[in-house]
Amino acid sequence: GPVKKVVELLDTLGENFQMLVVARRNNALKEALAQVKYKHTVKVFGFVDFVDELMAASDLVVSKAGGLTTSEAMAKGTPMAIVSPTPGQEEANSDFLLENGAAIRVNQLENMGYKIKKLLSPKSTLARMSKNARKIGHPSSALVAAKETLKRFS
């Protein structure tokens, strides 16, 4: 996705926050982001195996609405700002999160700053979204699925 543009747009906001950016295996993106001087604290990571810890430390996840990202964010009670979901499963995930008050959707990057600033201003909005995310998140779903599978094949 347009990660570099998203970071640049968020850096223009006057609010006090830091960004944790995961570039995954995109080394060129990681290096490009790490070389920029930002107004806010921006910590750039490559591939990580501690996404759950990053989400737990976050107040908001700005991302596409992929299945794994969505389920991890909800399990941690971290609301999302969904950026331009692709048609199909990401659209369905996005709709579900929006209907349950656990996300906002940013279809046009030009509107991102306005939407995120609106979320950060009245802290109760973000707190309400986090509460909604925890309601629909299932942190132990993998364990439940494993137990059910073992029951059926035992």
Side-chain angles (χ1 to χ4, degrees):
V3 177
K4 192 169 189 291
K5 183 70 175 168
V6 167
V7 172
E8 290 169 356
L9 286 168
L10 292 177
D11 195 47
T12 65
L13 298 180
E15 306 295 323
N16 184 20
F17 61 89
Q18 71 174 348
M19 288 182 264
L20 307 174
V21 182
V22 179
R24 298 183 51 190
R25 298 187 195 280
N26 188 337
N27 290 328
L29 174 63
K30 180 183 174 192
E31 289 175 23
L33 291 171
Q35 292 176 9
V36 177
K37 180 136 176 90
Y38 298 103
K39 288 189 271 182
H40 294 86
T41 300
V42 177
K43 296 181 182 184
V44 182
F45 301 90
F47 181 80
V48 297
D49 60 359
F50 52 91
V51 171
D52 61 323
E53 293 173 29
L54 293 175
M55 286 196 185
S58 300
D59 295 317
L60 181 69
V61 172
V62 179
S63 178
K64 294 186 136 221
L68 192 55
T69 300
T70 300
S71 60
E72 285 189 274
M74 296 306 102
K76 292 294 181 186
T78 309
M80 293 181 67
I82 301 166
V83 181
S84 305
T86 54
Q89 188 61 49
E90 286 185 13
E91 286 270 346
N93 293 345
S94 176
D95 290 345
F96 178 77
L97 296 178
L98 290 167
E99 289 165 5
N100 284 280
I104 61 166
R105 185 165 161 172
V106 180
N107 291 323
Q108 298 172 338
L109 289 181
E110 303 81 42
N111 298 331
M112 176 173 282
Y114 169 78
K115 287 188 170 195
I116 300 291
K117 190 168 186 159
K118 191 173 167 185
L119 272 185
L120 297 175
S121 296
K123 297 289 184 186
S124 60
T125 301
L126 203 53
R128 186 177 68 252
M129 288 175 63
S130 183
K131 183 178 177 184
N132 292 338
R134 280 191 297 280
K135 281 182 190 174
I136 61 175
H138 299 282
S140 59
S141 61
L143 181 60
V144 171
K147 285 181 179 178
E148 286 299 315
T149 302
L150 286 172
K151 275 188 208 175
R152 292 181 187 193
F153 293 104
S154 295

